């Protein structure tokens, strides 16, 4: 079975540019999570979806960040305009069991973003 | 503010010894507990989950949970250089929100 697929794996861009990160969850998983990881702040949950509906976006740092899930097999995280402090590794993760098993996540390989 | 605390390390353990990683959490209503391994430059990978007090063994790994003391630990027996990684503790709080620790870097010395 294919795992969670993310693209691009690496992105280098200049401040002010728009960045779009993409994620394909594991088929059958109805929960999708976007995380950001930095050395200083560790893993931070940005937003998660259930059945394509955003449930909690309280972790989205500001209006420059937006996320969509138009169907069960695709999600995007967009940053517009990007800033150097957005440089981080962005992970997408999915799972299909709510409740006590919510912590059993399958992560994609991540998208490493560098904003110059 | 609900918290999960881990010693950042690095924790250095000789090959073949037992590595002991610890994690404490603040929400007494936490329901379930997870250990993830993250190799440098890679994504986190779930290695153990535990839901009730006591020990849970899987191969060389043992997770231990003590809800009264609010700690969870991970023991790695017969440590191998391939176990060198950062180990992340994650806890589902009373609202089923997953709270992450900052991770402990483990180094296994040949």
């Amino acid at each position: 079975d294919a795992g969670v697929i993310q693209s691009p794996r690496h992105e280098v861009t200049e401040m002010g540019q728009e960045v779009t990160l993409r994620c394909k969850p594991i088929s059958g998983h109805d929960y999708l999570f976007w995380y950001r990881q930095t050395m200083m702040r560790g893993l931070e949950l940005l937003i998660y979806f259930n059945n394509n509906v955003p449930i909690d976006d309280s972790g989205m740092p500001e209006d420059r960040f937006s996320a969509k899930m138009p169907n069960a097999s695709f999600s995007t995280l967009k940053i517009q305009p990007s800033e150097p402090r957005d440089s981080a590794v962005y992970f997408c993760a999915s799972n299909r069991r709510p409740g006590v098993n919510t912590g059993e996540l399958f992560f994609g390989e991540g998208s490493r973003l560098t904003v110059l | 503010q609900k918290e999960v605390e881990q010693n950042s390390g690095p924790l250095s353990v000789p090959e073949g010894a037992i590595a002991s990683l610890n994690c404490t959490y603040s929400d007494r209503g936490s329901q379930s507990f997870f250990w993830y391994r993250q190799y440098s430059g890679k994504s986190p990978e779930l290695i153990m989950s535990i839901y009730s007090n006591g020990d849970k063994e899987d191969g060389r790994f043992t997770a231990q949970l003590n809800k009264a003391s609010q700690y969870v630990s991970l023991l790695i027996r017969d440590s191998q250089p391939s176990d060198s990684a950062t180990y992340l503790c994650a806890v589902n709080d009373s609202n089923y929100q997953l709270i992450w620790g900052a991770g402990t870097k483990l180094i296994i010395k040949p």
Side-chain angles (χ1 to χ4, degrees):
Chain A
D1 286 344
V4 176
I5 299 172
Q6 292 187 246
S7 65
R9 293 292 312 279
H10 302 274
E11 175 91 5
V12 180
T13 191
E14 293 190 347
M15 182 174 63
Q17 297 298 305
E18 178 179 294
V19 174
T20 299
L21 308 178
R22 299 172 178 80
C23 175
K24 175 180 170 57
I26 294 172
S27 178
H29 283 192
D30 51 6
Y31 285 81
L32 183 140
F33 304 81
W34 281 101
Y35 280 92
R36 177 172 69 176
Q37 187 176 40
T38 60
M39 288 293 293
M40 289 296 294
R41 299 174 68 90
L43 263 175
E44 300 175 279
L45 177 64
L46 300 177
I47 186 171
Y48 78 93
F49 296 83
N50 179 24
N51 290 323
N52 314 337
V53 177
I55 302 301
D56 183 357
D57 65 354
S58 59
M60 297 286 262
E62 47 198 274
D63 292 344
R64 296 184 298 106
F65 286 69
S66 62
K68 294 182 180 179
M69 193 166 185
N71 57 61
S73 59
F74 184 66
S75 178
T76 60
L77 178 67
K78 186 176 293 187
I79 309 172
Q80 167 63 20
S82 58
E83 296 183 3
R85 59 192 168 121
D86 302 330
S87 297
V89 180
Y90 291 80
F91 288 108
C92 177
S94 70
N95 74 359
R96 63 181 174 187
R97 290 179 285 185
V100 294
N101 294 332
T102 303
E104 296 184 1
L105 302 181
F106 295 82
F107 282 82
E109 294 186 311
S111 295
R112 181 175 295 275
L113 173 64
T114 302
V115 183
L116 303 175
Chain B
Q1 181 77 4
K2 296 173 181 177
E3 294 183 335
V4 173
E5 300 284 347
Q6 296 182 256
N7 188 318
S8 62
L11 175 65
S12 184
V13 174
E15 183 176 358
I18 295 175
S20 178
L21 304 162
N22 298 312
C23 171
T24 59
Y25 58 94
S26 62
D27 183 0
R28 189 169 287 278
S30 296
Q31 300 288 323
S32 46
F33 309 85
F34 307 89
W35 284 100
Y36 282 78
R37 177 178 61 201
Q38 186 174 24
Y39 292 116
S40 180
K42 302 296 185 181
S43 58
E45 174 192 15
L46 179 67
I47 55 171
M48 290 288 286
S49 54
I50 187 166
Y51 303 103
S52 54
N53 275 332
D55 294 1
K56 178 182 178 182
E57 187 174 316
D58 183 1
R60 295 186 297 111
F61 297 95
T62 299
Q64 299 177 317
L65 174 60
N66 184 324
K67 289 187 177 180
S69 300
Q70 295 176 240
Y71 83 78
V72 57
S73 61
L74 179 70
L75 302 179
I76 307 174
R77 290 183 300 280
D78 188 23
S79 298
Q80 303 296 310
S82 60
D83 295 325
S84 298
T86 295
Y87 289 80
L88 300 167
C89 174
V91 175
N92 258 350
D93 68 12
S94 48
N95 295 318
Y96 300 119
Q97 299 301 308
L98 193 61
I99 312 297
W100 293 84
T104 298
K105 184 173 184 178
L106 176 65
I107 299 173
I108 306 300
K109 291 189 171 181

